[in-house]
Amino acid sequence: VGMSSNAVQQCLQDQTLVDAVIAQRLEGDQTYHVSSTPSFIIDGKLYAGALTVEQIGELIAKLTP
């Protein structure tokens, strides 16, 4: 993605960032029962597994008038 190894190490050592990522993961698990990667939450509904860009586009298109 273009991050240097130094930048990656800085992220991994940032405890505030680590805590935020863990909190987000726990919220996803508790609220949506996320148990796989990738998982997508679209309009409050869980879609587990790999979706194509087209599939995601179709799901989003259904939400717009």
Side-chain angles (χ1 to χ4, degrees), residues 2 5 8-9 15 17 20 23 27 31 39 48 52 65:
S5 59
V8 171
Q9 287 303 314
Q15 193 60 47
L17 179 60
E27 180 184 346
T31 304
S39 290
T52 65

Side-chain angles (χ1 to χ4, degrees), residues 9 14 16 19 21 25 50 57 63:
Q9 287 303 314
D14 182 343
T16 301
D19 291 344
V21 170
R25 186 194 61 79
L63 301 174

